[in-house]
Amino acid sequence: MEDCVGIKYSSVNEGEKRKGGHGVPKVSIIPLIFLIFYEVSGGPFGIEDSVKAAGPLLAIAGFLLFALIWSVPEALITAEMGTMFPENGGYVVWVSSALGPFWGFQQGWAKWLSGVIDNALYPVLFLDYVKSSIPALGGGLPRTLAVLILTVALTYMNYRGLTIVGWVAVFLGVFSLLPFFVMGLIAIPRIEPSRWLEMDLGNVNWGLYLNTLFWNLNYWDSISTLAGEVENPKRTLPRALSYALVLVVGGYLYPLITCTAAVPVVREFWTDGYFSDVARILGGFWLHSWLQAAAALSNMGNFVTEMSSDSYQLLGMAERGMLPEFFAKRSRYGTPLIGIMFSAFGVVLLSWMSFQEIIAAENYLYCFGMILEFIAFIKLRVVHPNASRPYKIPLGTIGAVLMIIPPTILIVVVMMLASFKVMVVSIMAMLVGFVLQPALVYVEKRRWLKFSISAELPDLPYSNVEEDSTIPLVC
C-alpha cells in the first residue's frame, strides 16, 4: 500500500474561523493551557499522600522522575497525534485509525470509565478539605447531599459551553495556585534542608506512592478529545501542552520543596487535605482559610474540565459512528448534551468510593488505554511515516520506541501493584466493553438505533469496513 502524505481535515477546524460549524467560539491558547492544567492537575491538592507513603526525598524525586519518564512522553505523543487528527474523540480516533473500530471502541470505553471514575474523586476531595471547618460533611446524608448538589451545579456549567469552562479554568487556576506561592514565601525563613533527605526505604508504601504520583501526572491525552473545539489546534495544541507541563510540574515541586523543609515531617499526617494544616502552622487562620477556599474551587475546576473531556469524547465517538447518533446531539450552547448527562450519572454512581480506591481503579483502566495508545502511535509511525503531522516528535521510529519503553514499564508496575479487588473490578469493566462493541454493531445492523459518520470528517483506514481491510488514509 502506498503511503499517504496527509489526512485532510478541510472542513474541520482549520483555525481561520474563530467559530465552529455550530456557531460556538473556539477555545484559544490561554484557556486551553488551563484546561490541560486541570485535566492533569489542578494544583498540589492530593499530592500529600506521596509524602505519607515514602517521605520527603522520594516524594520530591518521584515528581521529577515521573514527569520525565511519563508526563513528557505522553504530552509529546498527544501533541503529535492530536495535530494529526484534530477532531473530537482524540485518542479514540488514533487507535481506530491504527487498529480498527473494535479496539478504538475499547479505548473509548476504558478511557471514558477512567475519566468518570476520576471525576467522582473531586467531590470527595473537596469535602475532605472542608470537613475540618464543617464536620457534618464528613459522612452520612449531609455528605451525600453535598455531592449531589455539587455535581448538578458543575454539570450545568458544562452545559453552558466549553468557552465558559475554559475561562473559568483560568480564573480558578490562578486563584488556586496563589496561596501556595504565598505559603512558600512564608516558609523560606523556616526551611531546614536536612528534612529533604528524610527517607526510610524499609517503610515505603509503594502502591500508594506510585498510584499518587501516577494519578497526579497523567491525563495529558485527555485534551485531545476537545481538539475539534480548539482554535487552530495544529499550532495551538503543542504550545499549550508545553506551557501546561511547566505549570503542572512547577506547581507540584514548589510547595513540596518548601513545606516539607519548613515544618517537621510526621508522615502519618500527610494525607489529602494536609496542606491546609501546614498553611495554618505557617501563616495562621487566614492562610488556612484561603487554602481551603482554593482547594474547593480547584476541585470544581478539575470536575468541569474532566466532564468536558469525557462528554466530548462520547460526541466524537458518535460522529465516527461508534455510538448511536443521539450522542452527537448538541445543546443550544454547542455542548454535547447526552454525553454530559451520561458522565454526570457516572459520577454520582461512583462517588461512594474512597479516595484511594478511586485512584487505584482509574489508574488501572487508564493504563489499559495507554497501552493501546502507544501501540497506535508506533504503528502509525511505521505504516504511515509520510502522513501529515503538523507537529512531529523529533525522533525516528527507533527513538519513538525507546521513548515509550520507560512509561510502558511504569504501566506494568502500576497494574501489578493494584489490589485484587481493584484488578477484578477493572478487568470486569473492560470485559463489558468487549461485549458492548459487538452488541452495538448488531443494533446498527438491525437498525434499532441510528448510527452515522459526520460528513465533515475524513475516512480512517478501517472506517465502515472489516478490520482486515487495507483502505489507506485519505490524502
Side-chain angles (χ1 to χ4, degrees):
M1 180 175 63
E2 184 179 343
D3 282 334
C4 337
V5 295
I7 304 170
K8 295 199 176 195
Y9 285 80
S10 56
S11 60
V12 182
N13 200 348
E14 291 301 320
E16 290 82 3
K17 300 178 180 178
R18 300 185 70 87
K19 290 190 176 183
H22 299 271
V24 179
K26 293 294 184 180
V27 179
S28 58
I29 188 167
I30 294 177
L32 187 62
I33 291 169
F34 282 89
L35 283 172
I36 298 170
F37 171 73
Y38 271 111
E39 292 279 11
V40 177
S41 167
F45 312 102
I47 69 172
E48 297 97 327
D49 276 323
S50 64
V51 179
K52 177 182 179 179
L57 180 61
L58 287 180
I60 295 168
F63 276 101
L64 277 171
L65 183 61
F66 268 56
L68 290 174
I69 68 173
W70 180 264
S71 296
V72 171
E74 188 184 8
L76 287 172
I77 291 172
T78 301
E80 178 170 318
M81 302 297 286
T83 56
M84 188 178 180
F85 299 96
E87 62 176 273
N88 296 328
Y91 38 68
V92 177
V93 182
W94 313 345
V95 174
S96 296
S97 68
L99 306 176
F102 176 82
W103 290 110
F105 184 89
Q106 304 315 314
Q107 170 76 351
W109 172 249
K111 284 301 193 77
W112 183 78
L113 276 181
S114 175
V116 170
I117 294 171
D118 180 63
N119 225 12
L121 171 66
Y122 299 118
V124 173
L125 198 57
F126 165 75
L127 294 174
D128 282 345
Y129 266 93
V130 300
K131 68 185 179 184
S132 61
S133 299
I134 311 176
L137 296 178
L141 182 60
R143 187 180 179 93
T144 301
L145 289 175
V147 169
L148 289 173
I149 292 170
L150 278 171
T151 301
V152 171
L154 298 175
T155 298
Y156 178 73
M157 187 179 296
N158 269 275
Y159 168 75
R160 287 300 304 267
L162 186 59
T163 303
I164 293 175
V165 170
W167 284 107
V168 166
V170 174
F171 166 75
L172 294 178
V174 173
F175 183 81
S176 298
L177 289 174
L178 271 177
F180 286 98
F181 177 73
V182 173
M183 185 165 62
L185 294 179
I186 295 173
I188 290 174
R190 303 176 59 167
I191 285 177
E192 295 183 19
S194 61
R195 289 173 177 157
W196 291 326
L197 304 179
E198 293 180 18
M199 181 176 63
D200 182 4
L201 288 176
N203 186 27
V204 175
N205 184 338
W206 292 107
L208 178 61
Y209 175 67
L210 291 175
N211 272 316
T212 302
L213 293 175
F214 192 63
W215 172 65
N216 280 286
L217 286 166
N218 62 18
Y219 279 87
W220 295 94
D221 58 342
S222 292
I223 199 65
S224 67
T225 65
L226 308 172
E229 311 301 312
V230 174
E231 180 185 330
N232 192 8
K234 296 178 181 180
R235 173 178 170 80
T236 305
L237 186 59
R239 292 171 62 199
L241 281 162
S242 63
Y243 296 147
L245 182 64
V246 174
L247 187 63
V248 167
V249 177
Y252 287 150
L253 289 176
Y254 177 74
L256 265 182
I257 290 171
T258 54
C259 293
T260 55
V263 298
V265 176
V266 181
R267 284 172 51 181
E268 290 71 22
F269 293 170
W270 282 79
T271 58
D272 55 290
Y274 185 63
F275 270 129
S276 60
D277 294 330
V278 176
R280 183 172 57 245
I281 294 169
L282 294 176
F285 179 75
W286 69 272
L287 188 57
H288 168 79
S289 300
W290 187 10
L291 200 78
Q292 284 202 320
L297 292 178
S298 176
N299 282 285
M300 292 180 184
N302 285 119
F303 187 101
V304 294
T305 53
E306 181 66 59
M307 181 171 281
S308 294
S309 174
D310 296 340
S311 56
Y312 275 100
Q313 178 197 315
L314 296 181
L315 181 145
M317 292 176 71
E319 289 180 338
R320 279 291 176 188
M322 297 181 188
L323 292 176
E325 193 178 63
F326 63 79
F327 276 96
K329 178 179 175 59
R330 293 182 184 245
S331 70
R332 58 176 175 160
Y333 301 106
T335 50
L337 182 62
I338 306 301
I340 288 173
M341 292 172 61
F342 264 72
S343 298
F345 176 75
V347 169
V348 173
L349 195 64
L350 295 167
S351 59
W352 57 270
M353 298 172 68
S354 73
F355 181 81
Q356 285 78 17
E357 286 177 328
I358 289 174
I359 291 179
E362 64 141 311
N363 280 351
Y364 201 94
L365 290 167
Y366 185 83
C367 287
F368 175 75
M370 287 308 305
I371 290 171
L372 290 178
E373 278 186 36
F374 289 162
I375 294 172
F377 168 63
I378 296 300
K379 183 174 180 181
L380 289 172
R381 275 291 193 99
V382 172
V383 177
H384 298 292
N386 298 321
S388 175
R389 291 172 172 84
Y391 173 83
K392 185 175 182 179
I393 301 170
L395 296 172
T397 302
I398 294 176
V401 171
L402 293 174
M403 181 186 73
I404 66 171
I405 288 177
T408 302
I409 294 172
L410 177 60
I411 285 174
V412 173
V413 172
V414 169
M415 295 179 80
M416 289 177 62
L417 287 174
S419 68
F420 180 75
K421 175 184 174 182
V422 168
M423 193 178 300
V424 169
V425 171
S426 300
I427 291 174
M428 289 177 63
M430 289 188 292
L431 290 176
V432 171
F434 279 55
V435 175
L436 189 57
Q437 196 273 344
L440 287 173
V441 171
Y442 181 78
V443 167
E444 181 181 11
K445 287 182 178 179
R446 297 299 299 267
R447 298 185 179 179
W448 292 342
L449 291 173
K450 186 177 180 182
F451 292 72
S452 64
I453 298 176
S454 173
E456 293 184 336
L457 300 176
D459 292 334
L460 297 178
Y462 295 92
S463 294
N464 296 321
V465 294
E466 297 299 322
E467 289 196 25
D468 59 355
S469 173
T470 57
I471 294 178
L473 295 168
V474 174
C475 301

